């Protein structure tokens, strides 16, 4: 958000073009594309990270900070590492998104924030921390795409672009309620 605002201060209006070397990435004419390679790299990287002890320390810190501190986890290191890992995945996503839309406009991604959070929660990631993972997030993203496909197939989006955002928000609220209910049932057991 800071860089988006800075770009709007420097430039009179939001604009930007993707570099020439990624101009054909977003055409979608072949499965064997750099976007597919970025996706495979991200999945492989997540698989490797999730097998480390440091990943378990991050999950423990997100689940219960006091318990992780008592267990000997360096909380600040775990937090910093989680942010670094998130930054790497955000960078991969930003490269893919820039190539897909063919634009370097920093405000293009703002409308996808709700969809990204909804996909994570739908995939089983707890917003409180300590629960979730890469596989569930991928399933949540696929579900979000299928929801978008159904909404566009039945022409709900013709009424207004806000209708799809309303459905995403509704799905997010329902997913959060289910997430809270399943968490409280697990705690009682």
């Amino acid at each position: 958000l800071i860089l988006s605002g800075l770009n709007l201060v420097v430039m009179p209006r939001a604009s930007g073009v993707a570099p020439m070397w990624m101009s054909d990435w977003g055409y979608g004419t072949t499965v064997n594309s750099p976007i597919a390679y970025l996706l495979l790299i991200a999945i492989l990287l997540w698989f490797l990270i999730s097998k480390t002890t440091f990943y378990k320390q991050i999950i423990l810190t997100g689940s219960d900070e006091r318990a992780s501190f008592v267990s000997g986890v360096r909380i600040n290191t775990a937090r910093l590492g989680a942010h670094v890992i998130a930054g790497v995945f955000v960078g991969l996503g930003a490269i893919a998104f820039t190539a897909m839309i063919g634009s370097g406009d920093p405000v293009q991604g703002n409308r996808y924030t709700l969809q990204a959070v909804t996909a994570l929660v739908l995939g089983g990631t707890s917003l409180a921390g300590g629960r979730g993972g890469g596989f569930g997030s991928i399933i949540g993203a696929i579900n979000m795409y299928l929801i978008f496909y159904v909404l566009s197939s039945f022409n709900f989006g013709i009424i207004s672009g806000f209708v799809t955002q309303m459905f995403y928000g509704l799905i997010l609220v329902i997913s959060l309620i289910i997430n809270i209910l399943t968490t409280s049932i697990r705690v009682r057991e």
Side-chain angles (χ1 to χ4, degrees):
L1 291 174
I2 292 171
L3 292 176
S4 298
L6 182 64
N7 186 33
L8 292 175
V9 169
V10 171
M11 301 179 81
R13 62 183 170 80
S15 64
V17 179
M20 289 302 296
W21 53 271
M22 62 168 60
S23 62
D24 62 340
W25 286 19
Y27 290 155
T29 55
T30 62
V31 175
N32 188 15
S33 71
I35 299 291
Y37 292 134
L38 280 176
L39 181 63
L40 289 175
I41 288 169
I43 290 171
L44 179 67
L45 189 60
W46 180 257
F47 178 76
L48 293 174
I49 289 171
S50 68
K51 298 300 179 193
T52 64
T53 306
F54 186 67
Y55 174 76
K56 291 176 177 62
Q57 292 175 351
I58 291 173
I59 295 294
L60 183 61
T61 301
S63 178
D64 190 354
E65 196 170 296
R66 290 181 184 173
S68 63
F69 179 74
V70 171
S71 299
V73 174
R74 295 181 178 161
I75 296 171
N76 292 331
T77 305
R79 274 196 218 137
L80 181 66
H83 283 90
V84 168
I85 291 169
V88 168
F89 283 104
V90 166
L92 288 173
I95 291 170
F97 185 68
T98 299
M100 294 278 292
I101 65 170
S103 173
D105 186 1
V107 296
Q108 288 294 319
N110 290 346
R111 64 182 184 181
Y112 292 106
T113 305
L114 176 65
Q115 294 175 26
V117 172
T118 304
L120 287 175
V121 172
L122 196 57
T125 300
S126 172
L127 294 181
R131 209 175 83 228
F135 182 72
S137 300
I138 291 171
I139 297 298
I142 291 170
N143 284 330
M144 288 299 293
Y145 173 75
L146 292 175
I147 291 166
F148 170 76
Y149 184 76
V150 167
L151 289 175
S152 61
S153 294
F154 291 111
N155 293 328
F156 290 126
I158 288 178
I159 300 168
S160 171
F162 298 109
V163 172
T164 54
Q165 292 287 11
M166 181 187 70
F167 276 105
Y168 290 144
L170 183 65
I171 292 166
L172 176 62
V173 169
I174 291 169
S175 299
L176 283 172
I177 290 172
I178 291 171
N179 197 345
I180 290 170
L181 290 175
T182 56
T183 303
S184 65
I185 290 171
R186 285 184 193 157
V187 169
R188 289 182 189 164
E189 292 175 353

